[in-house]
Amino acid sequence: MASETRSRLVDDERGFPFTEFEEKARVRWESEKLFQVDLNSSRKKYYCLNMFPYPSGDLHVGHGRNYILGDVVVRRKLMEGYAVLAPMGWDAFGLPAENAAIEKKIHPGEWTRRNIKSFKEQFREWGIGLDWTREIAACHPGYYKWTQWLFLQLFNKGLAEKRYAPVNWCPSCATVLANEQVVDGACERCGTPVTQRELSQWFFKTTAYAQALLDDLNQLDQWPERVRTMQRNWIGRSEGVTIRFAGADGGAGIECFTTRIDTLGGVTYVVLAPEHPLVEQFLASHPKRAELMERVTKMRDQRMARRDNPDLEKEGFDAGARVVNPISGEAVPVWVANYVLMEYGTGAVMAVPAHDERDFEFAKKFKLPIRVVIQNPESAPETASGRAEDLTQAYVESGRLIHSGPFDGLDNESAKQRIGEWLRSRGEGDFTTTYRLRDWLISRQRYWGAPIPIVYCEKDGTVPVPDQDLPVLLPLDADFQPKGDSPLARHPSFKFTTCPKCGGPATRETDTMDTFVDSSWYFLRYLTPRDETKAFDTKLANRWLPVDQYIGGVEHAILHLMYSRFLVKFLADEGLVSFREPFARLFTQGMITKVSSITGRLEKMSKSKGNVVAPRDLIRKYGADTVRVYTLFIGPPEKDAEWDDRSVEGAYRFLSRVWRLTNAAVPVMAPVGSAVDATKLEGAAVDLHRKTHVTIQRVNSDLERFQMNTAISAMMELVNVLSLAVQDPSFAPNKTNASGAVLREAIDALLVLLAPMAPFITEELWERTSHSGSIFHASIPKYDPEAIRADTVTVIVQVSGKVRARLEVPASATESQVKDLALADENVLRHLEGKSLRRAIYVPGKLLNLVT
């Protein structure tokens, strides 16, 4: 290169004119329909999906991490030659929209439409590539018609049923809350303490698929292990014994499920959950009934505030009933306590305080009997005497049975089978498998949701709405102000109808469906979003699903994924799809955090925390590519990362160097398609050729593993070597020599590898380097194993003794060259910022310590 060009590359600190080409790129992608997919294409398919977003307010950079990650995958797969399905839609029903509408005094539909418009504008600014011809919204009748149809399929198979059940009730929002909407006993939206109500509710019987949901987790080997563990724990399979404690003196008996039947001899009381149906029966004739029922109500209201937390202050009382311990033959008291949950087992627990920590704490507090039945002097000397007074805590390990009648002397593990068989022979119990998983409560007493397609008739009872009468339209003129009942119940023209069977007067179901129902099947609707004849096309679904890559927050690791898995298994059993899992590969990104102006702590970005960073301002200042690259470079994408406004400039400087190097190289690089003759290379050209192929290898490997941050780091290193090469006197490229071909190879590889992360600048530079067509029609380069075998060393770079970078450099690199590379590294520069460099200590080929 000419000395003038070299000088400009070294000294020019200007940025790049992103405003000149960003909109040009957007228009090009739209006009070329880059992201529209032909579902019948002969190319190999790839379905990349971001989790169904809820359109609430403006996006911030924390939201951006999810969508930018997805866009990198989409653009990369396009360049690998796949037919890529990348749709977008809106989880547009739900309580947040209704609450916002109440607060802002606008219709939730209008509020939702405004937010969708804003989201789409921001996606376009970010450069998120999506097939907008497939856009769907859960609140559109063309979508929720098929949500209602799916409800009816489950209803017809006995998997949707209505029954009374206690529910979380927010008095302020006047609605039922799901468990995850209750935080520390209060409504997550308004902070009002949550109470319990007994309501007639619709459920989907997810428990019918409990074992299948558990077993098929083994197939999901491309899911994060922690997510699979969370799902296993939520399903909560337990093997044990259901024991029937007979009532003393002819009173009511109680069934308990236990995994520790070996401790049966140590049962000194039985505990009922406050919701257990026997509670009111036992208290019916109790002299303190009114007082105790008030305590029951208070305990029930604690129910969803994690009453199973071992640190919860335990409360309870003697219900006045007695049942018989079958081993000891003694009558033991029945208590009601807040630490027992109706959701687990039978809602009744056999209490063995000597061998259960919660029972021990409860027995100590209320001075209840404690009996040691497992003895192990070696690991727990306090059990040697068999006296309860010697225990300082519950003994929960293994040992030999004592005080257990005919089972004395057995080790407790083998005793489980023996005691279970003994109970079964007496008709007092049997081996049982239970699950922590409970049926899915889908009823919501609110307006903004899909109406449940059921009619109630005095003559015909519960009648499903016929398919031809779907959708049951949500009236747009309903009064959705909270008044303690379902808004649809106050809408006469909606509520009152005729029976589809007899034509007589009838009423509609006035609950609406949980929004998780909308998001449990949306990935199927994207295939044929305008089909008015069926929910989805089975043939297309069987070709395009499971989703190849699903991306979203770990906060949806349990419920949303569980419900989607349940529905797909049901559809498979009905012969409507041939696969049994909806998502083959799952990636859960970490949160972006920032110091809160309210708490002063690192917090997840939120308006309420005063730590939101608006992407629009940053895009206007630095360009969309800078925001994208910094978001990807901030840290491993699966982990939380702190946003630093100042560090955004580092990404901007990197892209500015790419811009300057590429534009300066245009006059002297070889023509497009020129091959590199490695036998003719020497000096800096050898180093650049090798670094190019090392970078190709690293970036391709990193992106396959979702390590976008290290992929960007590898490209930064290539830019450093490229910058050094063009300054080396031995490197004098022109359009016809070997150095010109190496320069073309390095620039082209850099642009193609960088393109999915920084699509705007690379699209522009691809054109400026004489390529025809979009860069996203280019192929991903492959590395040459021969090229990466040249001698290199890894030099550790320290700043005042602390490791800040590891540089891969040619073994022949001089101290000056290594120092130049170190001073071009973004992480090193960040730790030198505001400091003066006193000296550099270099250990050849090993270490460079920059002392400040």
Side-chain angles (χ1 to χ4, degrees):
M1 285 188 178
S3 59
E4 179 183 348
T5 301
R6 288 200 185 97
S7 176
R8 179 153 52 89
L9 282 168
V10 175
D11 301 329
D12 192 349
E13 292 300 325
R14 293 176 299 175
F16 57 100
F18 55 86
T19 55
E20 296 178 11
F21 56 73
E22 281 192 358
E23 184 59 19
K24 172 184 170 183
R26 294 184 188 103
V27 171
R28 176 177 192 166
W29 300 330
E30 290 164 359
S31 64
E32 292 183 1
K33 300 179 180 178
L34 182 65
F35 301 102
Q36 290 186 28
V37 64
D38 176 5
L39 297 183
N40 296 309
S41 170
S42 60
R43 289 182 294 160
K44 188 177 180 181
K45 70 95 179 177
Y46 196 89
Y47 190 171
C48 183
L49 185 62
N50 285 101
M51 287 187 181
F52 212 24
Y54 189 85
S56 55
D58 292 329
L59 291 166
H60 55 66
V61 294
H63 296 121
R65 195 179 205 189
N66 179 36
Y67 303 111
I68 293 168
L69 285 170
D71 190 58
V72 170
V73 175
V74 168
R75 292 176 183 270
R76 174 99 178 166
K77 291 300 177 182
L78 281 174
M79 299 169 82
E80 290 177 357
Y82 286 85
V84 180
L85 174 58
M88 180 54 67
W90 315 104
D91 193 7
F93 270 141
L95 186 59
E98 197 162 326
N99 284 344
I102 292 167
E103 178 186 346
K104 300 175 186 300
K105 294 182 171 52
I106 60 173
H107 194 278
E110 176 59 29
W111 186 81
T112 300
R113 283 190 292 273
R114 290 181 190 178
N115 290 332
I116 289 174
K117 182 175 182 293
S118 175
F119 269 39
K120 292 179 73 170
E121 290 171 353
Q122 290 175 86
F123 282 154
R124 190 173 186 273
E125 286 183 345
W126 267 326
I128 308 299
L130 298 162
D131 186 347
W132 288 110
T133 66
R134 301 181 181 281
E135 182 182 8
I136 58 178
C139 63
H140 191 282
Y143 183 85
Y144 69 74
K145 167 184 178 177
W146 300 109
T147 302
Q148 293 171 343
W149 176 83
L150 287 168
F151 174 96
L152 294 174
Q153 307 315 299
L154 290 159
F155 177 84
N156 292 335
K157 292 296 180 177
L159 292 172
E161 67 177 19
K162 195 173 190 183
R163 62 178 183 261
Y164 277 92
V167 294
N168 303 303
W169 179 261
C170 174
S172 175
C173 298
T175 188
V176 169
L177 301 179
N179 291 354
E180 71 278 2
Q181 294 171 310
V182 181
V183 179
D184 296 328
C187 174
E188 69 168 353
R189 296 294 302 175
C190 67
T192 302
V194 171
T195 62
Q196 298 296 302
R197 278 193 175 186
E198 191 85 8
L199 294 178
S200 182
Q201 307 280 290
W202 280 97
F203 290 84
F204 286 163
K205 298 177 72 172
T206 47
T207 51
Y209 283 84
Q211 191 60 47
L213 288 165
L214 185 63
D215 290 342
D216 289 351
L217 286 171
N218 296 324
Q219 302 175 19
L220 301 176
D221 55 0
Q222 296 187 79
W223 280 34
E225 185 54 38
R226 67 167 177 161
V227 173
R228 293 201 291 174
T229 298
M230 291 165 74
Q231 293 249 318
R232 288 190 188 99
N233 291 342
W234 192 264
I235 297 167
R237 187 179 193 271
S238 296
E239 294 183 357
V241 172
T242 298
I243 179 173
R244 289 178 283 278
F245 287 90
D249 301 322
I254 297 174
E255 283 196 348
C256 297
F257 171 79
T258 180
T259 60
R260 294 297 309 274
I261 196 63
D262 52 313
T263 64
L264 179 59
V267 173
T268 57
Y269 61 100
V270 169
V271 191
L272 299 179
E275 299 83 6
H276 198 289
L278 284 175
V279 170
E280 295 193 33
Q281 180 179 329
F282 288 151
L283 297 182
S285 58
H286 199 288
K288 295 183 179 180
R289 182 183 182 281
E291 174 190 334
L292 294 179
M293 282 306 300
E294 186 176 340
R295 294 177 65 182
V296 167
T297 300
K298 288 181 179 179
M299 283 191 276
R300 288 176 176 175
D301 287 345
Q302 293 178 341
R303 173 177 169 268
M304 294 306 176
R306 293 195 173 273
R307 284 203 332 237
D308 57 342
N309 187 326
D311 297 328
L312 180 75
E313 179 66 25
K314 293 172 178 56
E315 303 170 9
F317 60 85
D318 189 335
R322 299 291 183 269
V323 293
V324 178
N325 182 326
I327 285 184
S328 67
E330 65 183 325
V332 299
V334 177
W335 281 62
V336 178
N338 65 339
Y339 73 96
V340 178
L341 300 178
M342 195 65 207
E343 284 73 19
Y344 184 71
T346 64
V349 169
M350 60 175 227
V352 187
H355 305 291
D356 181 273
E357 293 173 357
R358 294 182 305 168
D359 295 342
F360 184 83
E361 180 185 342
F362 190 81
K364 283 289 188 181
K365 178 175 180 178
F366 292 99
K367 297 180 173 54
L368 293 167
I370 299 174
R371 180 180 300 120
V372 177
V373 292
I374 299 179
Q375 187 180 58
N376 192 337
E378 293 183 4
S379 64
E382 64 272 20
T383 68
S385 68
R387 294 194 306 264
E389 55 267 30
D390 293 334
L391 290 181
T392 57
Q393 61 183 10
Y395 176 66
V396 297
E397 306 300 329
S398 59
R400 183 176 63 88
L401 290 190
I402 59 175
H403 301 152
S404 297
F407 306 104
D408 280 355
L410 295 176
D411 73 88
N412 69 299
E413 287 301 322
S414 62
K416 290 180 180 179
Q417 184 70 22
R418 293 275 297 275
I419 296 175
E421 291 171 351
W422 179 73
L423 288 169
R424 182 168 58 190
S425 69
R426 293 161 54 96
E428 295 177 331
D430 207 346
F431 296 100
T432 309
T433 298
T434 67
Y435 300 89
R436 196 175 187 88
L437 180 70
R438 288 295 173 257
D439 287 336
W440 174 9
L441 169 62
I442 69 156
S443 286
R444 295 294 181 267
Q445 290 69 42
R446 61 184 184 226
Y447 164 65
W448 194 237
I452 294 174
I454 291 291
V455 166
Y456 302 107
C457 173
E458 286 190 10
K459 177 182 176 183
D460 295 305
T462 300
V463 182
V465 173
D467 289 357
Q468 64 269 21
D469 291 343
L470 298 178
V472 176
L473 289 171
L474 183 70
L476 298 180
D477 58 346
D479 174 12
F480 51 81
Q481 295 296 322
K483 295 180 180 177
D485 58 354
S486 171
L488 295 182
R490 306 192 302 267
H491 194 286
S493 63
F494 176 86
K495 181 177 180 179
F496 297 105
T497 185
T498 55
C499 175
K501 279 190 175 181
C502 68
T507 58
R508 292 191 186 279
E509 171 61 66
T510 57
D511 285 356
T512 54
M513 281 188 250
D514 175 20
T515 54
F516 275 121
V517 182
D518 305 323
S519 60
S520 67
W521 74 282
Y522 74 108
F523 42 87
L524 291 162
R525 186 63 179 170
Y526 280 134
L527 301 170
T528 50
R530 309 294 174 254
D531 191 338
E532 297 180 1
T533 63
K534 54 186 175 297
F536 55 88
D537 185 290
T538 294
K539 183 178 178 181
L540 285 175
N542 290 339
R543 183 193 171 198
W544 280 88
L545 282 104
V547 170
D548 295 281
Q549 180 65 68
Y550 200 36
I551 303 170
V554 74
E555 65 271 20
H556 299 299
I558 297 178
L559 296 181
H560 162 60
L561 293 176
M562 190 77 73
Y563 296 151
S564 298
R565 296 179 63 222
F566 157 74
L567 186 69
V568 164
K569 292 182 190 308
F570 167 71
L571 293 174
D573 286 347
E574 293 301 296
L576 294 171
V577 298
S578 61
F579 50 92
R580 298 190 66 82
E581 287 290 339
F583 314 117
R585 188 179 186 189
L586 174 69
F587 185 83
T588 54
Q589 85 281 357
M591 294 186 300
I592 297 289
T593 61
K594 198 172 190 296
V595 174
S596 166
S597 62
I598 296 172
T599 66
R601 299 190 302 268
L602 274 179
E603 304 267 9
K604 176 184 177 181
M605 280 193 183
S606 167
K607 287 182 180 179
S608 64
K609 300 292 183 183
N611 62 349
V612 165
V613 177
R616 188 159 288 167
D617 295 340
L618 289 172
I619 289 173
R620 288 170 179 165
K621 184 176 182 180
Y622 297 111
D625 285 325
T626 297
V627 175
R628 288 172 62 110
V629 168
Y630 177 67
T631 301
L632 296 167
F633 187 60
I634 197 171
E638 72 276 10
K639 296 183 178 179
D640 294 351
E642 180 183 358
W643 185 274
D644 183 349
D645 290 336
R646 293 174 300 175
S647 297
V648 176
E649 295 182 5
Y652 181 69
R653 287 196 298 269
F654 164 63
L655 292 174
S656 298
R657 294 182 73 202
V658 172
W659 176 262
R660 295 195 302 272
L661 277 167
T662 304
N663 279 293
V666 168
V668 291
M669 67 170 64
V672 172
S674 298
V676 173
D677 186 347
T679 63
K680 295 182 179 180
L681 302 180
E682 57 185 30
V686 175
D687 296 338
L688 180 57
H689 178 58
R690 180 183 184 279
K691 188 63 176 179
T692 298
H693 286 269
V694 167
T695 303
I696 293 169
Q697 180 191 33
R698 282 183 57 186
V699 172
N700 287 345
S701 174
D702 287 347
L703 292 185
E704 181 62 28
R705 296 179 293 112
F706 257 77
Q707 298 304 303
M708 281 71 169
N709 58 319
T710 55
I712 292 172
S713 181
M715 287 183 278
M716 289 177 170
E717 290 179 19
L718 174 59
V719 170
N720 289 342
V721 174
L722 185 58
S723 181
L724 286 177
V726 299
Q727 297 173 63
D728 194 306
S730 70
F731 188 77
N734 60 56
K735 291 181 178 295
T736 58
N737 70 6
S739 293
V742 167
L743 186 61
R744 163 64 69 180
E745 174 188 61
I747 293 291
D748 281 1
L750 173 64
L751 294 180
V752 172
L753 294 173
L754 182 59
M757 303 176 208
F760 296 102
I761 191 172
T762 51
E763 186 74 275
E764 178 67 16
L765 290 174
W766 194 246
E767 181 180 311
R768 291 187 178 214
T769 51
S770 303
H771 291 277
S772 60
S774 170
I775 193 172
F776 296 104
H777 295 311
S779 298
I780 300 293
K782 294 180 172 56
Y783 76 94
D784 179 0
E786 292 297 322
I788 66 174
R789 288 179 184 166
D791 291 335
T792 63
V793 293
T794 300
V795 175
I796 295 173
V797 180
Q798 297 178 334
V799 176
S800 296
K802 293 186 178 180
V803 177
R804 300 304 182 190
R806 287 176 170 81
L807 302 178
E808 189 177 345
V809 302
S812 60
T814 65
E815 178 179 350
S816 176
Q817 289 174 321
V818 173
K819 183 178 177 182
D820 286 344
L821 284 171
L823 293 176
D825 185 271
E826 292 295 335
N827 198 42
V828 173
L829 284 175
R830 184 161 65 251
H831 287 90
L832 289 174
E833 190 173 353
K835 301 173 183 177
S836 59
L837 183 61
R838 292 177 59 192
R839 68 180 189 276
I841 302 170
Y842 182 59
V843 179
K846 294 182 178 179
L847 175 71
L848 176 66
N849 187 16
L850 303 174
V851 182
T852 61

